[in-house]
């Protein structure tokens, strides 16, 4: 069984990765753009926020600059694809590799500590008693995730959002209708990585440190959250798809926490990637298996 602190810790991390899942939803589901830039834009957001906070900036303003940095990274990937004709997957890999050096340049070292610094969580901790301090980040990130969800839902229903969705669904038809598909791809991938950059900034402030390697495997976590959430919440509409993304991220982190804390399984921290691979496989396979089972039951009744 999970302790109360471990449970809230899993919820806290899950809500942060829910923002990553939002970003991956835009690139993978809306634009059909396989984007690995997130493995670089996540630590980029953390690096920018950490450096600015250590420089005396307001943590919310530092987080905003992390979003801008993430959007810039996404825009670079999209421009490599749209303007230079580089395959989208390869363009994202090139940007991701370049961001490793960029992040080292920004931080000046492989990692930066934020312990003792004022972060976005500090004010929220004052709302809770010292005994319940671990609830503050969960409350804060739940509010952030809800606000982002509502804003994305409204954006996807706007004219620009509908144009972006049309670009991902059928680029040729979208161009025939006068939509600037190249601009939509740049905007969408930039927005996606802006959300991931924000997640990285919040993660660094939550964990008290920024590290250049903290983005390794973020794309897998985001996909696991997205696919797993869609298996739990059928994404018939945009709002249901967004809810599925954040639900999937929370369930993913809870599953990881339970697996690592279950003594009977004998799993340890180094087994995290193995657990992630198993969860992603199950999330992909189970919906199809459930559909086949339902079809077989229907035939048997007939």
């Amino acid at each position: 069984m999970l302790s109360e602190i471990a449970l809230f810790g899993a919820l806290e991390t899950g809500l942060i990765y829910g923002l990553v899942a939002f970003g991956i939803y835009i690139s993978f589901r809306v634009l059909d753009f396989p984007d690995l830039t997130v493995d670089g834009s996540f630590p980029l957001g953390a690096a920018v926020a950490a450096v600015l906070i250590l420089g005396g900036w307001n943590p919310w303003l530092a987080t905003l600059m992390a979003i801008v940095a993430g959007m810039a990274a996404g825009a670079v990937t999209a421009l490599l694809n749209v303007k230079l004709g580089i395959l989208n997957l390869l363009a994202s890999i090139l940007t991701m590799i370049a961001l490793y050096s960029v992040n080292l340049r920004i931080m000046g070292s492989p990692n930066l500590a934020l312990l003792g610094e004022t972060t976005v969580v500090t004010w929220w901790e004052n709302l809770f008693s010292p005994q319940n301090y671990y609830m503050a980040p969960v409350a804060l990130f739940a509010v952030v995730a809800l606000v982002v969800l509502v804003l994305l839902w409204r954006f996807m229903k706007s004219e620009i959002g509908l144009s972006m969705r049309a670009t991902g669904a059928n680029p040729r038809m979208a161009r025939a209708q006068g939509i600037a598909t190249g601009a939509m791809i740049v905007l969408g991938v930039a927005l996606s990585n802006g959300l991931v950059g924000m997640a990285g900034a919040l993660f660094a402030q939550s964990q008290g440190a920024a590290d250049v390697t903290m983005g390794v495997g973020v794309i897998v976590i985001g996909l696991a959250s997205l696919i797993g959430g869609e298996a739990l919440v059928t994404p018939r509409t945009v709002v249901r798809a967004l809810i599925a993304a954040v639900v999937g991220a929370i369930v993913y982190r809870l599953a990881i926490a339970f697996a690592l804390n279950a003594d009977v399984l004998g799993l340890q921290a180094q087994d995290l990637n193995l657990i992630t691979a198993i969860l992603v496989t199950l999330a992909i396979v189970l919906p199809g298996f459930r559909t086949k089972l339902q079809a077989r039951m229907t035939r048997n009744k007939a």
Side-chain angles (χ1 to χ4, degrees), residues 223-231 277-288:
L223 285 173
S225 303
L226 189 60
I227 297 171
E230 290 175 349
I278 293 173
L279 289 176
V280 172
T281 303
L282 290 174
I284 294 173
V285 172
L286 286 181

Side-chain angles (χ1 to χ4, degrees), residues 2-300:
L2 288 177
S3 66
E4 192 174 10
I5 294 179
L7 175 62
F8 277 91
L11 290 174
E12 173 187 343
T13 309
L15 287 166
I16 293 176
Y17 280 119
L19 300 175
V20 176
F22 286 157
I24 291 177
Y25 166 75
I26 294 173
S27 57
F28 276 77
R29 290 290 187 255
V30 176
L31 286 174
D32 193 23
F33 190 104
D35 182 23
L36 301 186
T37 312
V38 295
D39 275 17
S41 56
F42 187 84
L44 173 65
V48 170
V51 168
L52 293 180
I53 289 172
L54 290 172
W57 282 49
N58 179 283
W60 285 109
L61 189 56
T63 303
L64 177 61
M65 295 307 297
I67 296 173
V68 174
M71 292 184 70
V76 169
T77 295
L79 289 171
L80 287 175
N81 171 247
V82 173
K83 297 298 183 182
L84 300 183
I86 300 176
L87 183 68
N88 46 24
L89 185 61
L90 179 57
S92 66
I93 292 174
L94 292 174
T95 306
M96 177 188 68
I97 293 172
L99 284 175
Y100 184 84
S101 297
V102 172
N103 294 336
L104 281 174
R105 279 281 186 176
I106 291 173
M107 292 194 294
S109 63
N111 50 66
L112 291 174
L114 292 174
L115 297 176
E117 299 292 332
T118 300
T119 66
V120 295
V121 183
T122 305
W123 182 83
W124 281 75
E125 288 179 341
N126 298 330
L127 300 178
F128 295 83
S129 63
Q131 293 78 17
N132 298 324
Y133 70 93
Y134 50 85
M135 297 182 181
V138 177
L140 170 61
F141 299 142
V143 172
V144 172
L146 179 61
V147 171
V148 173
L149 188 152
V150 173
L151 291 176
L152 277 178
W153 172 56
R154 297 293 297 176
F155 173 76
M156 288 300 169
K157 292 178 63 178
S158 68
E159 185 176 348
I160 296 177
L162 291 172
S163 298
M164 189 178 296
R165 291 161 65 184
T167 297
N170 193 327
R172 289 186 178 180
M173 181 62 71
R175 282 192 294 270
Q177 296 298 320
I179 297 174
T181 55
M184 290 298 104
I185 292 174
V186 173
L187 176 61
V189 178
L191 180 59
S192 169
N193 284 276
L195 290 170
V196 175
M198 177 170 66
L202 294 178
F203 188 79
Q205 294 175 70
S206 168
Q207 301 299 311
D211 191 279
V212 72
T213 63
M214 66 193 302
V216 176
V218 167
I219 182 64
V220 177
I221 295 173
L223 285 173
S225 303
L226 189 60
I227 297 171
E230 290 175 349
L232 297 172
V233 182
T234 308
R236 296 191 184 95
T237 62
V238 172
V239 68
R240 286 177 65 91
L242 294 173
I243 292 173
V246 71
V247 168
I250 293 172
V251 171
Y252 166 78
R253 290 307 307 180
L254 287 174
I256 292 290
F258 275 113
L260 293 178
N261 284 272
D263 295 333
V264 67
L265 297 178
L267 296 173
Q268 300 178 6
Q270 60 262 35
D271 300 318
L272 180 60
N273 288 344
L274 173 62
I275 300 171
T276 299
I278 293 173
L279 289 176
V280 172
T281 303
L282 290 174
I284 294 173
V285 172
L286 286 181
F289 177 77
R290 183 175 58 187
T291 302
K292 292 180 180 178
L293 182 61
Q294 290 174 347
R296 182 176 299 176
M297 292 175 64
T298 302
R299 287 196 301 268
N300 291 337

